[in-house]
Amino acid sequence: MNKIEITKKHTLSGHQNPIFAVETGGAPTTLFTAGNDKGVVEWDLELGKFRRILLPVKSSVYALHYIPASNLLAVGERSGLVTIVDIEKQLVVARLQHHEKPIFGIQAFRTKSEIIVSSEDGTVSIWNTVNFNLLYHFSVSTETVRCIALNQEENILAFGSKDSKIRLFHAQDYIPFQEINEHSAAITALAFSPDDRFLLTGGRDAQLNVFETKHFLLEKNITAHMFSIYGIAYHPTFPVFITASRDKSIKIWRTADYSLIKNISFDKGYETHRLSINNISWIDDQTFVSVSDDKTAIIWNADFI
């Protein structure tokens, strides 16, 4: 793979305010978005059109997470509420009311029936995904826990906080074992590599840091963007990953040497977002989605040559 051709497939319009969260999951032709308006929107990816309002909400949504091997989508709101909705039946299964401040991170396991929720209050709650009882809750930081990453083996959890620190926990028993302090501003994005050898971190300092996961020592530091990095996503199969930023650009990087392959921005001639890009995700091997303050989601085709 020496080259990637990027083309815009669909622009999804309909939100009245900025979009903060995006999630695939469920059917391969279905996408969910949410943000600073009154509902979680379901889109038809084949037609590139609005399908329905999956769930009306009373406050902004900062987190969406599909629970593996289920029909369930978790929706985290500014109010502190997490709603579990059955996608097929369009029914609310549970309302998880524990946090009193905004929900920023949600992460489910494949290997056990638990879901993790992080909040602006600096704490994390753990819920059973069978009956949605609260199992545990504990403090991670004195400031917002902005993002969560779970490695592929599902034995390590990374929490990124507003205090610029990344805290590592054993996923089996939620015991902390290490703290990383290599950023100079809030942590806004985390991702483990598909082989679990590396942890990528992005912050409001526009830095992309690469840590090896044996001792979590810093291997590489890149000034990746001009402003905050709001999303990091590894490709499902190819040795590349993408980053998205408040600077309105999407960048594609090689995993082998962290060199830049593509800069998707207005400056490079792309008809892309006109405001901050708040999240990004791969849909399949050739398609990814970005969402923005400009109230749109863009579906991109990636042709690997």
Side-chain angles (χ1 to χ4, degrees), residues 27-276:
T29 59
T30 299
L31 185 77
F32 302 98
T33 59
N36 190 25
D37 50 13
K38 298 299 181 183
V40 177
V41 177
E42 182 178 328
W43 303 90
D44 185 317
L45 289 180
E46 283 187 332
L47 300 176
K49 291 184 177 180
F50 170 87
R51 184 177 286 163
R52 61 178 174 173
I53 299 292
L54 177 72
L55 177 74
V57 293
K58 293 182 179 179
S59 62
S60 298
V61 174
Y62 296 147
L64 294 173
H65 190 73
Y66 175 73
I67 299 175
S70 77
N71 297 317
L72 303 179
L73 184 72
V75 179
E77 293 187 44
R78 180 178 174 81
S79 66
L81 175 69
V82 178
T83 302
I84 309 297
V85 58
D86 186 307
I87 296 165
E88 287 191 357
K89 297 177 182 176
Q90 201 174 359
L91 290 175
V92 172
V93 172
R95 296 188 190 276
L96 314 183
Q97 189 70 73
H98 170 74
H99 298 278
E100 295 182 355
K101 292 188 176 181
I103 304 302
F104 281 100
I106 303 175
Q107 175 67 56
F109 289 86
R110 299 184 315 275
T111 54
K112 60 178 175 176
S113 301
E114 292 178 13
I115 191 170
I116 307 160
V117 175
S118 73
S119 171
E120 187 180 295
D121 63 17
T123 72
V124 165
S125 57
I126 314 294
W127 304 77
N128 181 290
T129 55
V130 176
N131 52 25
F132 292 100
N133 289 334
L134 179 64
L135 300 175
Y136 321 103
H137 60 96
F138 51 90
S139 177
V140 171
S141 171
T142 57
E143 299 186 56
T144 303
V145 183
R146 175 64 186 265
C147 44
I148 308 169
L150 175 64
N151 70 345
Q152 298 302 311
E153 194 177 338
E154 298 201 340
N155 63 348
I156 298 173
L157 277 163
F159 296 104
S161 300
K162 188 179 179 181
D163 63 6
S164 81
K165 295 178 182 179
I166 299 148
R167 293 173 175 86
L168 303 170
F169 283 65
H170 295 294
Q172 295 94 331
D173 50 18
Y174 305 109
I175 293 175
F177 68 90
Q178 195 166 335
E179 188 175 282
I180 301 171
N181 190 13
E182 294 284 354
H183 283 272
S184 61
I187 309 300
T188 47
L190 296 170
F192 282 97
S193 62
D195 60 7
D196 280 345
R197 291 178 58 213
F198 301 100
L199 171 64
L200 269 56
T201 68
R204 285 206 181 122
D205 55 10
Q207 302 300 300
L208 177 70
N209 284 337
V210 181
F211 298 91
E212 50 80 20
T213 55
K214 189 173 181 181
H215 303 290
F216 288 95
L217 299 176
L218 182 65
E219 286 222 342
K220 196 169 185 69
N221 166 259
I222 304 163
T223 302
H225 288 272
M226 293 177 65
F227 301 112
S228 305
I229 299 169
Y230 285 148
I232 304 170
Y234 276 91
H235 189 277
T237 55
F238 284 111
V240 301
F241 65 93
I242 47 179
T243 57
S245 171
R246 183 173 165 242
D247 68 12
K248 304 174 245 182
S249 74
I250 298 164
K251 293 184 177 180
I252 305 179
W253 310 80
R254 293 181 180 88
T255 59
D257 58 3
Y258 301 98
S259 59
L260 181 64
I261 307 172
K262 187 77 68 175
N263 180 352
I264 304 166
S265 63
F266 267 104
D267 291 346
K268 299 298 181 181
Y270 288 91
E271 281 294 319
T272 183
H273 297 287
R274 297 180 179 272
L275 296 171
S276 172

